Amino acid sequence: MQTPGKTLSTEQTTVPLNANLLIIFGMTLTVVLGVSSITPAFPGIMRELHLTKSQVGLLVTFYSLPGIFFSLLMGVGADRIGRKIILVPCMLLYGIAGGACAFTHDFNLLLALRFLQGLGATAAGTLSVAIIGDIY
């Protein structure tokens, strides 16, 4: 089904660009940025919280763990009750937990917030491919 608006063209295919597709691209980018955007801050986090390299590495681990354990549940839940019902609260959780990370000075709380942020990102990572399939 063609949607009105701009198109992304290559020599072989033409993909209509609509707001939904751009939102999905943004969600997918958000998942990746949850790891790559924090790594430049590691030296400052280590100094501020008096952490070792292995401890600061846990910030990436705790962000990634929910994806391992909850991806399947997010996908099944989205298929049964609806993608938007799963996705919107998870993206809110991602934003709130990520914002709260900026204000904590306790490493254990920071790890818990990174876990919650990763849980929110899990929905975006899992459902973006399914939503693209729904649209196209």
Side-chain angles (χ1 to χ4, degrees):
M1 176 166 92
Q2 290 288 345
T3 57
K6 297 180 181 178
T7 59
L8 175 66
S9 298
T10 64
E11 292 178 14
Q12 299 171 349
T13 62
T14 300
V15 177
L17 288 179
N18 62 25
N20 291 330
L21 185 62
L22 296 176
I23 290 169
I24 294 165
F25 288 164
M27 288 182 339
T28 306
L29 180 64
T30 299
V31 173
V32 175
L33 285 177
V35 173
S36 61
S37 66
I38 195 172
T39 53
F42 279 177
I45 294 170
M46 288 172 59
R47 275 191 311 275
E48 182 69 27
L49 300 178
H50 310 290
L51 303 175
T52 65
K53 287 183 181 181
S54 61
Q55 286 175 312
V56 81
L58 289 174
L59 294 174
V60 173
T61 303
F62 273 68
Y63 179 83
S64 303
L65 277 176
I68 296 168
F69 295 109
F70 294 106
S71 291
L72 182 61
L73 293 173
M74 295 279 184
V76 171
D79 286 341
R80 291 195 179 177
I81 63 174
R83 302 196 196 312
K84 191 182 282 188
I85 293 172
I86 297 291
L87 190 59
V88 171
C90 284
M91 292 309 297
L92 286 172
L93 177 64
Y94 176 88
I96 292 168
C101 286
F103 299 105
T104 185
H105 296 286
D106 178 36
F107 182 62
N108 291 325
L109 179 58
L110 183 59
L111 290 178
L113 290 170
R114 286 291 288 172
F115 185 86
L116 291 175
Q117 188 181 23
L119 185 61
T122 297
T126 302
L127 298 180
S128 60
V129 175
I131 295 170
I132 290 173
D134 291 345
I135 294 172
Y136 298 104

